[in-house]
Amino acid sequence: MIFLNDTAVSENLFPFALTRHVADLRLGILTIRQKWELLLGEKLYDSPTNTALNLPANIIPTKQNFQTILNLIAEGKEIIENASIKICTYPWHITQLNEHLIKEDFLLLTSYKISQPISNTNRLINPDQIFIEEGVTVEHCILNASTGPIYIDKEATIQEGSMIRGPFYLGKNALVKMGTKIYGATSIGSNCVVGGEIKNSTILDNSNKAHDGYLGDSVIGSWCNLGAGTSNSNLKNTVGNVEIQLSRNSPKLNAGIKAGLFMGDYSKAAINTSFNTGTVVGVCCNIFGEQNLPKFIDSFTWGTALYDFEKAISHIQNWMALKKVTISKNDLNTLEHLYSQKIK
């Protein structure tokens, strides 16, 4: 019934759309694709057809608005963002929309399921807004859902002493380490390991921010690692608007007064790295050695040099081996294409 088309919208969602379809971005608890498929009760088309509705992939459906969106597309009318319809145009919109979308996804997902019981060693605030899936381990923690819902997915673990304030989503098999402080609105993907202090951020699947350090108003891609003590600024000392570049030569865009770090897939940062307000890091970077980092770091950067491709792939495979995964042929082909574009 629907084909989600990202041709016209992917460029502005650098660096995350370099390595995935825009519909596969997590906004809230679910990806855009998952939202549509759950609401429609059917899989989406993988390619355009004469019978499919061709829909921009960055339009975000909810239980309340999806039928309105379908009607507008069927009538050939332009879809404009308003109070009920949200559109993710730039990377910082992922953080700006996350509170609203965690709440919408929570209502959608919990309308047909019952939460698992949670251990009485925990301190719960507004427990009706806390949902625990099967296999979750959480002991001696504070879960405060007074400011938004908390959803803990299957086999996830929250270690003792952690303090979590909603809205919050923790993905399947993810780990929150001891004494972690998380403020809403934050979404942590599957198989991630997180620690320290996190606020209003999204970390995509298989990434680590495992140690002390601050991450705020940021989006971290898949297979990333932030070394111990790494922090980012999300607010200028002047409290002025944050300007962000999505490519080295593109114009600066106004992201509002709060915007942190936007790091593409497979990128890493050494211990005690400090990122400026509104920093964009491309795909497959290894960041080390500079005290004053630029606010735009292009893909395949090794320190201040070009990352050798074979070395980059070898390092990716090393990280994947830690989680007992190997790189897929499709992902390898994508990285080969991006590298060839860079060195032209």
Side-chain angles (χ1 to χ4, degrees):
M1 186 178 183
I2 289 178
F3 169 65
L4 296 180
N5 190 339
D6 75 344
T7 304
V9 300
S10 61
E11 184 176 357
N12 285 336
L13 284 165
F14 179 94
F16 308 107
L18 288 176
T19 45
R20 63 178 55 75
H21 196 286
V22 167
D24 294 317
L25 278 172
R26 186 185 305 281
L27 287 100
I29 297 174
L30 302 166
T31 67
I32 297 173
R33 186 186 307 276
Q34 288 170 334
K35 297 177 203 289
W36 275 115
E37 291 183 343
L38 192 57
L39 288 163
L40 295 170
E42 61 184 41
K43 293 289 185 181
L44 303 183
Y45 284 102
D46 291 328
S47 57
T49 71
N50 291 333
T51 58
L53 292 177
N54 195 317
L55 185 66
N58 63 339
I59 295 173
I60 304 167
T62 65
K63 190 174 183 179
Q64 287 72 34
N65 72 22
F66 83 101
Q67 192 58 58
T68 300
I69 294 171
L70 294 180
N71 292 341
L72 289 170
I73 291 292
E75 295 166 7
K77 295 180 179 178
E78 182 182 4
I79 297 178
I80 299 173
E81 186 166 24
N82 54 43
S84 63
I85 298 176
K86 305 300 181 184
I87 300 174
C88 183
T89 304
Y90 297 109
W92 48 92
H93 291 163
I94 298 172
T95 63
Q96 292 172 359
L97 294 173
N98 212 37
E99 178 174 357
H100 170 72
L101 295 174
I102 289 176
K103 291 176 179 178
E104 291 290 338
D105 287 349
F106 186 88
L107 289 172
L108 180 62
L109 288 169
T110 60
S111 64
Y112 62 93
K113 295 193 291 188
I114 297 175
S115 175
Q116 297 295 306
I118 186 168
S119 168
N120 60 12
T121 67
N122 298 288
R123 171 73 184 274
L124 308 182
I125 304 171
N126 201 19
D128 289 345
Q129 288 293 294
I130 300 173
F131 193 95
I132 307 295
E133 286 278 11
E134 296 177 354
V136 167
T137 301
V138 51
E139 302 283 353
H140 300 285
C141 296
I142 299 174
L143 304 181
N144 181 358
S146 65
T147 52
I150 294 172
Y151 194 106
I152 312 300
D153 221 327
K154 294 179 180 179
E155 306 298 331
T157 298
I158 306 177
Q159 292 182 339
E160 55 271 23
S162 295
M163 298 178 288
I164 294 172
R165 176 183 288 266
F168 175 69
Y169 168 69
L170 184 64
K172 296 177 182 178
N173 198 42
L175 170 64
V176 176
K177 296 179 73 176
M178 288 194 305
T180 300
K181 297 172 285 187
I182 298 178
Y183 307 83
T186 292
S187 298
I188 308 296
S190 301
N191 306 308
C192 289
V193 179
V194 299
E197 184 179 4
I198 303 172
K199 174 252 178 186
N200 194 39
S201 295
T202 292
I203 302 178
L204 303 182
D205 296 351
N206 299 299
S207 287
N208 299 332
K209 182 228 172 291
H211 304 288
D212 284 344
Y214 176 70
L215 184 73
D217 296 278
S218 297
V219 182
I220 306 299
S222 293
W223 296 107
C224 294
N225 188 73
L226 301 181
T230 294
S231 293
N232 76 277
S233 168
N234 63 336
L235 182 68
K236 295 172 69 174
N237 287 345
T238 62
V239 198
N241 287 327
V242 181
E243 293 185 328
I244 293 180
Q245 282 185 278
L246 295 178
S247 68
R248 192 170 300 281
N249 299 314
S250 67
K252 294 179 180 180
L253 301 170
N254 180 2
I257 66 167
K258 286 196 175 182
L261 169 64
F262 303 92
M263 175 181 278
D265 293 355
Y266 310 109
S267 288
K268 314 291 187 294
I271 62 169
N272 296 320
T273 302
S274 295
F275 289 99
N276 291 307
T277 319
T279 293
V280 174
V281 176
V283 166
C284 204
C285 296
N286 196 328
I287 298 165
F288 61 90
E290 279 196 278
Q291 288 187 330
N292 297 311
L293 291 170
K295 289 184 63 174
F296 179 82
I297 300 172
D298 211 350
S299 297
F300 296 99
T301 294
W302 171 271
T304 58
L306 176 66
Y307 210 155
D308 176 78
F309 184 74
E310 297 303 323
K311 182 187 289 187
I313 298 304
S314 174
H315 295 166
I316 289 171
Q317 291 173 329
N318 290 343
W319 278 98
M320 287 187 166
L322 294 177
K323 296 183 187 283
K324 298 179 173 58
V325 178
T326 57
I327 191 167
S328 71
K329 183 62 177 176
N330 284 342
D331 289 343
L332 184 57
N333 289 341
T334 297
L335 291 174
E336 287 178 338
H337 172 71
L338 292 173
Y339 194 82
S340 67
Q341 294 294 109
K342 180 178 176 64
I343 63 177
K344 274 186 177 178

